[in-house]
Amino acid sequence: MIIISIITLLICGFIVSVSADDDADDDKYIDGLNVSFDLEQSLKDAKLENKTVMVIFDQKSCVYCDILKENTLTDPKVQDAINEKYIPTIVDVNKNPMIASNYNVYGTPTVVFVTGDEDFVYQIDGYLDAEEFLDELNQIE
């Protein structure tokens, strides 16, 4: 009976541990933006909606990525500009190194803007505060 209890506790602990790891990705959701994690779908949606895909290259250990998501991308003016013209999509460079390589991304955060046909439009390297990010968005046509 004791062995069964110990095994049950170990299994429950494993399940809680796996759930906690899965929840670690939840911090990538950005309130106010309809963020996608599926680049292929975002490219299809961009064609249908006549929008540009805003690919946010990110990684778990990137402090400036977190600051970008927590401060810059939560700013209401930035969100209005993004929601109007772009399909924001987060790509984790550690989970998708080939995608990062295909877009010539070698550091994070990097934000790449592409058409639905994956034609390059614009790129922002590094962290920018909300005002600087808006200035960059205003340069994109």
Side-chain angles (χ1 to χ4, degrees), residues 72-94:
T72 304
L73 299 179
T74 58
D75 181 274
K77 290 179 183 176
V78 171
Q79 289 186 343
D80 287 346
I82 292 170
N83 286 330
E84 181 181 332
K85 295 182 180 179
Y86 306 105
I87 297 175
T89 306
I90 295 177
V91 174
D92 184 316
V93 297
N94 293 323

PDB file of all heavy atoms in Angstrom, residues 72-94:
ATOM      1  N   THR A  72       6.323  47.028 -24.420  1.00  0.00           N
ATOM      2  CA  THR A  72       6.094  47.632 -25.735  1.00  0.00           C
ATOM      3  C   THR A  72       4.823  47.115 -26.392  1.00  0.00           C
ATOM      4  O   THR A  72       3.975  47.897 -26.833  1.00  0.00           O
ATOM      5  CB  THR A  72       7.302  47.376 -26.651  1.00  0.00           C
ATOM      6  OG1 THR A  72       8.481  47.885 -26.007  1.00  0.00           O
ATOM      7  CG2 THR A  72       7.118  48.028 -27.993  1.00  0.00           C
ATOM      8  N   LEU A  73       4.683  45.793 -26.458  1.00  0.00           N
ATOM      9  CA  LEU A  73       3.554  45.213 -27.185  1.00  0.00           C
ATOM     10  C   LEU A  73       2.240  45.255 -26.412  1.00  0.00           C
ATOM     11  O   LEU A  73       1.203  44.878 -26.949  1.00  0.00           O
ATOM     12  CB  LEU A  73       3.886  43.779 -27.612  1.00  0.00           C
ATOM     13  CG  LEU A  73       5.088  43.659 -28.555  1.00  0.00           C
ATOM     14  CD1 LEU A  73       5.348  42.197 -28.903  1.00  0.00           C
ATOM     15  CD2 LEU A  73       4.906  44.486 -29.818  1.00  0.00           C
ATOM     16  N   THR A  74       2.270  45.726 -25.190  1.00  0.00           N
ATOM     17  CA  THR A  74       1.028  45.913 -24.434  1.00  0.00           C
ATOM     18  C   THR A  74       0.568  47.371 -24.456  1.00  0.00           C
ATOM     19  O   THR A  74      -0.515  47.679 -23.970  1.00  0.00           O
ATOM     20  CB  THR A  74       1.191  45.467 -22.964  1.00  0.00           C
ATOM     21  OG1 THR A  74       2.251  46.207 -22.359  1.00  0.00           O
ATOM     22  CG2 THR A  74       1.464  43.978 -22.869  1.00  0.00           C
ATOM     23  N   ASP A  75       1.367  48.236 -25.030  1.00  0.00           N
ATOM     24  CA  ASP A  75       0.997  49.649 -25.134  1.00  0.00           C
ATOM     25  C   ASP A  75      -0.206  49.776 -26.072  1.00  0.00           C
ATOM     26  O   ASP A  75      -0.186  49.237 -27.185  1.00  0.00           O
ATOM     27  CB  ASP A  75       2.186  50.447 -25.676  1.00  0.00           C
ATOM     28  CG  ASP A  75       1.876  51.921 -25.789  1.00  0.00           C
ATOM     29  OD1 ASP A  75       1.319  52.334 -26.839  1.00  0.00           O
ATOM     30  OD2 ASP A  75       2.184  52.660 -24.839  1.00  0.00           O
ATOM     31  N   PRO A  76      -1.255  50.471 -25.645  1.00  0.00           N
ATOM     32  CA  PRO A  76      -2.477  50.568 -26.462  1.00  0.00           C
ATOM     33  C   PRO A  76      -2.247  51.149 -27.870  1.00  0.00           C
ATOM     34  O   PRO A  76      -2.854  50.684 -28.838  1.00  0.00           O
ATOM     35  CB  PRO A  76      -3.391  51.480 -25.649  1.00  0.00           C
ATOM     36  CG  PRO A  76      -2.904  51.349 -24.242  1.00  0.00           C
ATOM     37  CD  PRO A  76      -1.419  51.117 -24.337  1.00  0.00           C
ATOM     38  N   LYS A  77      -1.381  52.136 -28.009  1.00  0.00           N
ATOM     39  CA  LYS A  77      -1.126  52.728 -29.329  1.00  0.00           C
ATOM     40  C   LYS A  77      -0.406  51.731 -30.235  1.00  0.00           C
ATOM     41  O   LYS A  77      -0.705  51.635 -31.429  1.00  0.00           O
ATOM     42  CB  LYS A  77      -0.306  54.008 -29.196  1.00  0.00           C
ATOM     43  CG  LYS A  77      -1.080  55.154 -28.577  1.00  0.00           C
ATOM     44  CD  LYS A  77      -0.214  56.389 -28.456  1.00  0.00           C
ATOM     45  CE  LYS A  77      -0.987  57.511 -27.768  1.00  0.00           C
ATOM     46  NZ  LYS A  77      -0.145  58.698 -27.552  1.00  0.00           N
ATOM     47  N   VAL A  78       0.533  51.004 -29.665  1.00  0.00           N
ATOM     48  CA  VAL A  78       1.246  49.984 -30.437  1.00  0.00           C
ATOM     49  C   VAL A  78       0.263  48.897 -30.858  1.00  0.00           C
ATOM     50  O   VAL A  78       0.256  48.465 -32.012  1.00  0.00           O
ATOM     51  CB  VAL A  78       2.424  49.388 -29.623  1.00  0.00           C
ATOM     52  CG1 VAL A  78       3.022  48.187 -30.327  1.00  0.00           C
ATOM     53  CG2 VAL A  78       3.490  50.451 -29.363  1.00  0.00           C
ATOM     54  N   GLN A  79      -0.579  48.478 -29.941  1.00  0.00           N
ATOM     55  CA  GLN A  79      -1.555  47.434 -30.254  1.00  0.00           C
ATOM     56  C   GLN A  79      -2.528  47.871 -31.334  1.00  0.00           C
ATOM     57  O   GLN A  79      -2.851  47.083 -32.224  1.00  0.00           O
ATOM     58  CB  GLN A  79      -2.300  47.011 -28.992  1.00  0.00           C
ATOM     59  CG  GLN A  79      -1.430  46.225 -28.049  1.00  0.00           C
ATOM     60  CD  GLN A  79      -2.199  45.677 -26.862  1.00  0.00           C
ATOM     61  OE1 GLN A  79      -3.304  46.107 -26.554  1.00  0.00           O
ATOM     62  NE2 GLN A  79      -1.592  44.720 -26.192  1.00  0.00           N
ATOM     63  N   ASP A  80      -2.974  49.121 -31.281  1.00  0.00           N
ATOM     64  CA  ASP A  80      -3.880  49.621 -32.320  1.00  0.00           C
ATOM     65  C   ASP A  80      -3.212  49.552 -33.696  1.00  0.00           C
ATOM     66  O   ASP A  80      -3.824  49.112 -34.671  1.00  0.00           O
ATOM     67  CB  ASP A  80      -4.307  51.061 -32.029  1.00  0.00           C
ATOM     68  CG  ASP A  80      -5.300  51.165 -30.879  1.00  0.00           C
ATOM     69  OD1 ASP A  80      -5.870  50.119 -30.474  1.00  0.00           O
ATOM     70  OD2 ASP A  80      -5.483  52.289 -30.366  1.00  0.00           O
ATOM     71  N   ALA A  81      -1.954  49.975 -33.754  1.00  0.00           N
ATOM     72  CA  ALA A  81      -1.228  49.960 -35.026  1.00  0.00           C
ATOM     73  C   ALA A  81      -1.030  48.527 -35.529  1.00  0.00           C
ATOM     74  O   ALA A  81      -1.200  48.253 -36.718  1.00  0.00           O
ATOM     75  CB  ALA A  81       0.124  50.655 -34.864  1.00  0.00           C
ATOM     76  N   ILE A  82      -0.697  47.619 -34.616  1.00  0.00           N
ATOM     77  CA  ILE A  82      -0.485  46.226 -35.004  1.00  0.00           C
ATOM     78  C   ILE A  82      -1.801  45.586 -35.456  1.00  0.00           C
ATOM     79  O   ILE A  82      -1.864  44.949 -36.506  1.00  0.00           O
ATOM     80  CB  ILE A  82       0.153  45.424 -33.856  1.00  0.00           C
ATOM     81  CG1 ILE A  82       1.594  45.893 -33.613  1.00  0.00           C
ATOM     82  CG2 ILE A  82       0.116  43.924 -34.151  1.00  0.00           C
ATOM     83  CD1 ILE A  82       2.224  45.331 -32.350  1.00  0.00           C
ATOM     84  N   ASN A  83      -2.843  45.756 -34.664  1.00  0.00           N
ATOM     85  CA  ASN A  83      -4.123  45.112 -34.984  1.00  0.00           C
ATOM     86  C   ASN A  83      -4.702  45.599 -36.313  1.00  0.00           C
ATOM     87  O   ASN A  83      -5.409  44.864 -36.988  1.00  0.00           O
ATOM     88  CB  ASN A  83      -5.126  45.336 -33.854  1.00  0.00           C
ATOM     89  CG  ASN A  83      -4.814  44.495 -32.636  1.00  0.00           C
ATOM     90  OD1 ASN A  83      -4.261  43.406 -32.718  1.00  0.00           O
ATOM     91  ND2 ASN A  83      -5.162  45.018 -31.463  1.00  0.00           N
ATOM     92  N   GLU A  84      -4.377  46.829 -36.691  1.00  0.00           N
ATOM     93  CA  GLU A  84      -4.903  47.383 -37.936  1.00  0.00           C
ATOM     94  C   GLU A  84      -4.263  46.751 -39.175  1.00  0.00           C
ATOM     95  O   GLU A  84      -4.953  46.464 -40.162  1.00  0.00           O
ATOM     96  CB  GLU A  84      -4.670  48.898 -37.957  1.00  0.00           C
ATOM     97  CG  GLU A  84      -5.211  49.576 -39.193  1.00  0.00           C
ATOM     98  CD  GLU A  84      -4.936  51.072 -39.191  1.00  0.00           C
ATOM     99  OE1 GLU A  84      -4.830  51.669 -38.095  1.00  0.00           O
ATOM    100  OE2 GLU A  84      -4.824  51.633 -40.293  1.00  0.00           O
ATOM    101  N   LYS A  85      -2.949  46.513 -39.143  1.00  0.00           N
ATOM    102  CA  LYS A  85      -2.241  46.132 -40.360  1.00  0.00           C
ATOM    103  C   LYS A  85      -1.532  44.782 -40.335  1.00  0.00           C
ATOM    104  O   LYS A  85      -1.101  44.304 -41.379  1.00  0.00           O
ATOM    105  CB  LYS A  85      -1.169  47.185 -40.675  1.00  0.00           C
ATOM    106  CG  LYS A  85      -1.681  48.546 -41.004  1.00  0.00           C
ATOM    107  CD  LYS A  85      -0.514  49.451 -41.349  1.00  0.00           C
ATOM    108  CE  LYS A  85      -0.971  50.845 -41.700  1.00  0.00           C
ATOM    109  NZ  LYS A  85       0.167  51.722 -42.010  1.00  0.00           N
ATOM    110  N   TYR A  86      -1.358  44.205 -39.156  1.00  0.00           N
ATOM    111  CA  TYR A  86      -0.450  43.062 -39.056  1.00  0.00           C
ATOM    112  C   TYR A  86      -1.087  41.843 -38.385  1.00  0.00           C
ATOM    113  O   TYR A  86      -2.051  41.967 -37.639  1.00  0.00           O
ATOM    114  CB  TYR A  86       0.804  43.464 -38.265  1.00  0.00           C
ATOM    115  CG  TYR A  86       1.470  44.681 -38.831  1.00  0.00           C
ATOM    116  CD1 TYR A  86       1.358  45.916 -38.205  1.00  0.00           C
ATOM    117  CD2 TYR A  86       2.183  44.605 -40.025  1.00  0.00           C
ATOM    118  CE1 TYR A  86       1.943  47.050 -38.742  1.00  0.00           C
ATOM    119  CE2 TYR A  86       2.778  45.733 -40.572  1.00  0.00           C
ATOM    120  CZ  TYR A  86       2.651  46.959 -39.926  1.00  0.00           C
ATOM    121  OH  TYR A  86       3.232  48.069 -40.467  1.00  0.00           O
ATOM    122  N   ILE A  87      -0.480  40.703 -38.658  1.00  0.00           N
ATOM    123  CA  ILE A  87      -0.837  39.465 -37.968  1.00  0.00           C
ATOM    124  C   ILE A  87       0.380  39.093 -37.123  1.00  0.00           C
ATOM    125  O   ILE A  87       1.379  38.585 -37.656  1.00  0.00           O
ATOM    126  CB  ILE A  87      -1.191  38.348 -38.966  1.00  0.00           C
ATOM    127  CG1 ILE A  87      -2.421  38.758 -39.773  1.00  0.00           C
ATOM    128  CG2 ILE A  87      -1.410  37.031 -38.223  1.00  0.00           C
ATOM    129  CD1 ILE A  87      -2.795  37.803 -40.874  1.00  0.00           C
ATOM    130  N   PRO A  88       0.323  39.412 -35.826  1.00  0.00           N
ATOM    131  CA  PRO A  88       1.473  39.123 -34.965  1.00  0.00           C
ATOM    132  C   PRO A  88       1.622  37.623 -34.717  1.00  0.00           C
ATOM    133  O   PRO A  88       0.661  36.940 -34.384  1.00  0.00           O
ATOM    134  CB  PRO A  88       1.153  39.880 -33.676  1.00  0.00           C
ATOM    135  CG  PRO A  88      -0.321  40.048 -33.670  1.00  0.00           C
ATOM    136  CD  PRO A  88      -0.765  40.065 -35.103  1.00  0.00           C
ATOM    137  N   THR A  89       2.845  37.142 -34.898  1.00  0.00           N
ATOM    138  CA  THR A  89       3.132  35.718 -34.767  1.00  0.00           C
ATOM    139  C   THR A  89       4.445  35.548 -34.019  1.00  0.00           C
ATOM    140  O   THR A  89       5.451  36.160 -34.390  1.00  0.00           O
ATOM    141  CB  THR A  89       3.246  35.076 -36.167  1.00  0.00           C
ATOM    142  OG1 THR A  89       2.057  35.368 -36.901  1.00  0.00           O
ATOM    143  CG2 THR A  89       3.444  33.585 -36.075  1.00  0.00           C
ATOM    144  N   ILE A  90       4.424  34.743 -32.975  1.00  0.00           N
ATOM    145  CA  ILE A  90       5.632  34.501 -32.195  1.00  0.00           C
ATOM    146  C   ILE A  90       6.271  33.190 -32.638  1.00  0.00           C
ATOM    147  O   ILE A  90       5.603  32.163 -32.723  1.00  0.00           O
ATOM    148  CB  ILE A  90       5.322  34.474 -30.687  1.00  0.00           C
ATOM    149  CG1 ILE A  90       4.850  35.857 -30.219  1.00  0.00           C
ATOM    150  CG2 ILE A  90       6.547  34.023 -29.890  1.00  0.00           C
ATOM    151  CD1 ILE A  90       4.457  35.941 -28.764  1.00  0.00           C
ATOM    152  N   VAL A  91       7.577  33.254 -32.910  1.00  0.00           N
ATOM    153  CA  VAL A  91       8.357  32.080 -33.270  1.00  0.00           C
ATOM    154  C   VAL A  91       9.497  31.950 -32.264  1.00  0.00           C
ATOM    155  O   VAL A  91      10.313  32.864 -32.127  1.00  0.00           O
ATOM    156  CB  VAL A  91       8.919  32.187 -34.701  1.00  0.00           C
ATOM    157  CG1 VAL A  91       9.858  31.027 -34.999  1.00  0.00           C
ATOM    158  CG2 VAL A  91       7.782  32.224 -35.721  1.00  0.00           C
ATOM    159  N   ASP A  92       9.532  30.834 -31.562  1.00  0.00           N
ATOM    160  CA  ASP A  92      10.606  30.549 -30.616  1.00  0.00           C
ATOM    161  C   ASP A  92      11.801  30.020 -31.407  1.00  0.00           C
ATOM    162  O   ASP A  92      11.710  28.971 -32.054  1.00  0.00           O
ATOM    163  CB  ASP A  92      10.132  29.512 -29.593  1.00  0.00           C
ATOM    164  CG  ASP A  92      11.153  29.232 -28.508  1.00  0.00           C
ATOM    165  OD1 ASP A  92      12.352  29.083 -28.831  1.00  0.00           O
ATOM    166  OD2 ASP A  92      10.759  29.136 -27.334  1.00  0.00           O
ATOM    167  N   VAL A  93      12.918  30.743 -31.356  1.00  0.00           N
ATOM    168  CA  VAL A  93      14.076  30.358 -32.170  1.00  0.00           C
ATOM    169  C   VAL A  93      14.697  29.044 -31.712  1.00  0.00           C
ATOM    170  O   VAL A  93      15.333  28.357 -32.520  1.00  0.00           O
ATOM    171  CB  VAL A  93      15.155  31.465 -32.204  1.00  0.00           C
ATOM    172  CG1 VAL A  93      14.610  32.722 -32.853  1.00  0.00           C
ATOM    173  CG2 VAL A  93      15.706  31.760 -30.819  1.00  0.00           C
ATOM    174  N   ASN A  94      14.522  28.690 -30.448  1.00  0.00           N
ATOM    175  CA  ASN A  94      15.065  27.423 -29.966  1.00  0.00           C
ATOM    176  C   ASN A  94      14.246  26.235 -30.456  1.00  0.00           C
ATOM    177  O   ASN A  94      14.796  25.170 -30.722  1.00  0.00           O
ATOM    178  CB  ASN A  94      15.153  27.408 -28.444  1.00  0.00           C
ATOM    179  CG  ASN A  94      16.171  28.410 -27.942  1.00  0.00           C
ATOM    180  OD1 ASN A  94      17.212  28.619 -28.556  1.00  0.00           O
ATOM    181  ND2 ASN A  94      15.868  29.057 -26.830  1.00  0.00           N
TER     182      ASN A  94
END
